[in-house]
Amino acid sequence: VQLQASGGGLVQPGGSLRLSCSASGNTLMLDSMGWYRQDPGEEREGARLVAALTSYDLPIYGDPVKGRFTISRDSAKNTIYLQMDNLKVDDTAVYYCSAELRGSPGNYIWGRGTLVTVSS
């Protein structure tokens, strides 16, 4: 299974971006999916939860993004999205898509990060 993230870029404070993460391969192996972020230049380990969807499509959000970000899924396309509104400078980070393996709690696969830069 592979995860392909896209949609990062440069945006001004208060602006919006939408990230996409498409899963390919044996997607039946995947359980919850979500987004994590890490400061630019830092290793992915220690990335912080941004938002996730459980296997029942219940959303979970990190406190810093509640009310501003929305996670959603298009099951037909094996894709999750992260709509980011009212972006702040502190949202600048490398965003990683991740999926937990079904039947193997705590084991994740990761996509390559996509950089989001919020700056005027």
Side-chain angles (χ1 to χ4, degrees):
V1 180
Q2 290 187 329
L3 302 177
Q4 180 66 48
S6 62
L10 173 64
V11 64
Q12 293 185 341
S16 298
L17 277 177
R18 189 176 81 155
L19 305 182
S20 301
C21 175
S22 296
S24 60
N26 187 2
T27 58
L28 294 178
M29 296 174 55
L30 304 181
D31 198 345
S32 63
M33 293 183 66
W35 296 91
Y36 291 75
R37 67 187 183 186
Q38 179 60 287
D39 294 335
E42 299 291 330
E43 296 293 327
R44 191 192 69 214
E45 283 73 21
R48 304 172 300 280
L49 173 71
V50 178
L53 279 174
T54 71
S55 55
Y56 297 99
D57 272 355
L58 295 176
I60 302 170
Y61 295 98
D63 286 342
V65 308
K66 286 180 179 177
R68 300 187 297 121
F69 290 12
T70 304
I71 189 170
S72 61
R73 186 200 307 266
D74 185 336
S75 297
K77 297 181 179 179
N78 294 315
T79 299
I80 62 169
Y81 303 96
L82 184 68
Q83 177 66 40
M84 305 185 293
D85 297 319
N86 191 21
L87 282 159
K88 304 177 180 180
V89 172
D90 287 348
D91 294 319
T92 295
V94 178
Y95 286 70
Y96 295 94
C97 178
S98 176
E100 189 173 29
L101 296 177
R102 190 180 303 278
S104 185
N107 287 317
Y108 294 83
I109 61 170
W110 297 85
R112 296 181 67 177
T114 183
L115 176 63
V116 172
T117 302
V118 185
S119 175
S120 55

